[in-house]
Amino acid sequence: MSRALAWIRKSKGDDDDVGLEEQREVVPSLAAELADEVERLDLGVHTSFSTMTRDDEADLLDQNERVTERVDELQSGLLC
């Protein structure tokens, strides 16, 4: 059995923007073509900056709790 993570995020704009609507429709479908089971991570509008580019860790993409949980799952083999 294979698993995929359907990551949905836009760095600017509003949560109801067309770009996010399209991602929410298309990304899980594409992931389903590649894997038997699809986990979905929908961050909506979230900055694209990370601790690699900024000193202030507040609200950065790689400090988002849902992102760090998924990364931990990937590293432990729970998501493949």
Side-chain angles (χ1 to χ4, degrees), residues 1-79:
M1 175 182 359
S2 60
R3 297 179 73 189
L5 177 62
W7 179 296
I8 299 163
R9 181 194 67 83
K10 189 170 182 252
S11 63
K12 295 179 182 178
D14 296 314
D15 194 57
D16 59 351
D17 283 349
V18 172
L20 275 173
E21 287 180 30
E22 289 176 358
Q23 285 187 51
R24 289 176 175 135
E25 291 174 13
V26 174
V27 171
S29 299
L30 291 173
E33 291 178 17
L34 301 172
D36 299 319
E37 189 174 327
V38 176
E39 293 285 330
R40 183 177 170 141
L41 177 59
D42 188 337
L43 297 176
V45 176
H46 196 295
T47 178
S48 60
F49 296 119
S50 73
T51 54
M52 300 294 287
T53 61
R54 300 289 187 266
D55 292 331
D56 179 12
E57 295 186 3
D59 297 322
L60 298 178
L61 185 58
D62 59 352
Q63 298 302 311
N64 181 296
E65 183 177 341
R66 294 187 301 165
V67 171
T68 57
E69 287 174 1
R70 290 295 189 250
V71 169
D72 290 344
E73 290 172 352
L74 287 166
Q75 289 176 331
S76 69
L78 294 175
L79 293 176

